[in-house]
Amino acid sequence: QVQLVESGGGLVQTGGSLRLSCAASEMPFSGYKMGWFRQPPGKEREFVASVSWSDGTTYYAASVKGRFAIVRNNAKNTVYLQMNSLKPEDTAVYYCALTGDTPLMTDYWGQGTQVTVSS
């Protein structure tokens, strides 16, 4: 069973930066993306960013493109989400996820870390 351990959340002022980390206990066979989703207060969970573990292709939600950057470290089975120019609307619980490329593959989720951006 793959376990994901997140760290790096916290409270920051508007315009500030935070870096989230997510380490996987092991990496399943190919065909996975590792990345982040978030759930703002009172809203549905939404995609933020991910990286293909096989070829490093990155994907971003339009709302964070240009402000957030996702980086992988293959040797450590870890991804980092560098979040810059943070806005109050970025406030959410951020979940690390290891998602399969097909519905037949098992997805894995972290427990979540709170990011709060004060105005």
Side-chain angles (χ1 to χ4, degrees):
Q1 181 76 6
V2 176
Q3 293 184 329
L4 303 177
V5 178
E6 302 141 330
S7 61
L11 173 65
V12 65
Q13 290 186 333
T14 296
S17 299
L18 281 175
R19 190 178 80 155
L20 305 182
S21 301
C22 177
S25 58
E26 60 183 283
M27 191 57 62
F29 52 87
S30 62
Y32 275 85
K33 296 181 180 66
M34 192 165 176
W36 298 88
F37 289 70
R38 68 186 182 187
Q39 187 165 15
K43 296 185 179 180
E44 300 281 321
R45 190 174 297 189
E46 61 186 22
F47 169 76
V48 177
S50 67
V51 56
S52 171
W53 208 255
S54 58
D55 65 12
T57 302
T58 56
Y59 306 86
Y60 294 95
S63 59
V64 306
K65 202 166 188 178
R67 299 189 297 122
F68 291 11
I70 188 167
V71 177
R72 65 175 179 169
N73 183 322
N74 291 48
K76 295 184 178 181
N77 288 344
T78 299
V79 292
Y80 305 93
L81 184 68
Q82 178 66 42
M83 304 185 293
N84 299 323
S85 302
L86 283 161
K87 306 174 182 179
E89 51 263 45
D90 294 317
T91 294
V93 177
Y94 283 70
Y95 295 91
C96 180
L98 193 58
T99 55
D101 289 341
T102 74
L104 295 177
M105 300 167 75
T106 300
D107 294 341
Y108 303 92
W109 293 87
Q111 292 184 324
T113 185
Q114 178 70 45
V115 171
T116 302
V117 184
S118 63
S119 56

